[in-house]
Amino acid sequence: MSAILLTGSSRGIGAAAREALKKRGAKVIGHATRAIDANTVAADFTEPSAPQMLWEEALNRAGGEVDVLVNNAGLFNATPLESSDIEWLDGWEETLRINLTATAQLSRFAVRHWRERGVPGRIVHVASRAGYRGDSPAHWHYAAAKGGMLAMHKTIARGYAAERIVSFAITPGFTDTAMAGDYLESRGGEGLLRDIPLGRVAEPEEIARIIEFCSLDAPESMTGAVIDANGASYVR
């Protein structure tokens, strides 16, 4: 039975992924900013020490061995260009810390854990279409964070494949979650769907299926791959 640390598991894509992984028999250690149940570890990624605390608690709950890390937690708050200097910078730093720095810290702990034990491991990064095509003028920070996540993912894949430590990334477009809903409304609501050839946004369960595949089934030779799920709104 695989032990999986899944960040941002309380809603949306994370909640759907948690259910999908549990149905496959995995032991899932969930995470949220605030504890919502006994199986969820509370860790506020705005605090620099939170990722280490989360990792150590996940190891404790998993009996000392975590097999898979799923970096799904994210922040998607607008920071308009016209904001005050301090508001703009605060938004930038908060978004980068939650979406990229905390992810990097957890990935580092995971890679070190597997190397010290001499065992395979895998990381699944839930990035975004924004990491490739950019985002709205109020979301410079979000696009930069997701672009950084993709570069980090590729670096991990190339650096540790020989030790059977593999990395996969998923780049959703708009997804039917609370996080995306406000954005859709702010950008014109249903009119924005004209930019998506599929004609709809993704369902959380669709992204969860990809997370499940990468966590449990993807062949190691896929390491370094980026899987798009954006309804053909951005084709590389």
Side-chain angles (χ1 to χ4, degrees), residues 77-81 135-141:
N77 284 345
T79 303
L81 192 66
D135 213 290
S136 84
H139 292 88
W140 289 20
H141 45 12

Side-chain angles (χ1 to χ4, degrees), residues 154-209:
K154 296 171 185 178
T155 302
I156 292 169
R158 289 177 56 80
Y160 307 102
E163 298 171 75
R164 298 185 62 201
I165 296 172
V166 297
S167 182
F168 310 104
I170 305 165
T171 49
F174 294 123
T175 306
D176 186 14
T177 69
M179 186 169 72
D182 290 341
Y183 180 81
L184 277 169
E185 187 62 32
S186 72
R187 302 293 288 171
E190 293 300 314
L192 194 62
L193 297 178
R194 288 193 292 270
D195 188 44
I196 306 174
L198 185 62
R200 64 172 179 84
V201 300
E203 296 294 329
E205 290 75 17
E206 292 179 296
I207 310 304
R209 288 175 62 190

Side-chain angles (χ1 to χ4, degrees), residues 19-217:
E19 289 306 307
L21 292 166
K22 285 172 63 178
K23 287 179 181 177
R24 288 287 302 275
K27 178 179 178 60
V28 182
I29 299 101
H31 153 265
T33 301
R34 291 170 292 279
I36 58 172
D37 56 47
N39 296 315
T40 301
V41 181
D44 183 350
F45 285 167
T46 62
E47 299 293 332
S49 61
Q52 182 173 8
M53 182 278 293
L54 172 62
W55 178 257
E56 291 175 353
E57 179 60 21
L59 280 179
N60 180 58
R61 296 188 181 203
E65 298 180 1
V66 170
D67 304 297
V68 181
L69 167 64
V70 180
N71 286 314
N72 172 70
L75 177 68
F76 190 79
N77 284 345
T79 303
L81 192 66
E82 297 75 21
S83 303
S84 70
D85 291 348
I86 190 63
E87 288 173 337
W88 194 90
L89 185 59
D90 284 348
W92 177 276
E93 292 182 343
E94 182 180 43
T95 295
L96 268 290
R97 170 153 293 284
I98 292 173
N99 291 11
L100 182 58
T101 304
T103 293
Q105 289 175 272
L106 287 169
S107 297
R108 174 174 174 262
F109 295 141
V111 170
R112 289 178 59 183
H113 173 65
W114 297 321
R115 295 187 81 196
E116 289 167 1
R117 291 171 51 211
V119 299
R122 55 181 61 202
I123 303 176
V124 182
H125 306 273
V126 182
S128 169
R129 175 188 72 172
Y132 281 116
R133 63 165 261 178
D135 213 290
S136 84
H139 292 88
W140 289 20
H141 45 12
Y142 183 78
K146 294 302 186 178
M149 176 186 278
L150 290 170
M152 180 180 69
H153 145 66
K154 296 171 185 178
T155 302
I156 292 169
R158 289 177 56 80
Y160 307 102
E163 298 171 75
R164 298 185 62 201
I165 296 172
V166 297
S167 182
F168 310 104
I170 305 165
T171 49
F174 294 123
T175 306
D176 186 14
T177 69
M179 186 169 72
D182 290 341
Y183 180 81
L184 277 169
E185 187 62 32
S186 72
R187 302 293 288 171
E190 293 300 314
L192 194 62
L193 297 178
R194 288 193 292 270
D195 188 44
I196 306 174
L198 185 62
R200 64 172 179 84
V201 300
E203 296 294 329
E205 290 75 17
E206 292 179 296
I207 310 304
R209 288 175 62 190
I210 305 174
I211 293 172
E212 175 192 340
F213 171 70
C214 292
S215 298
L216 301 174
D217 302 313

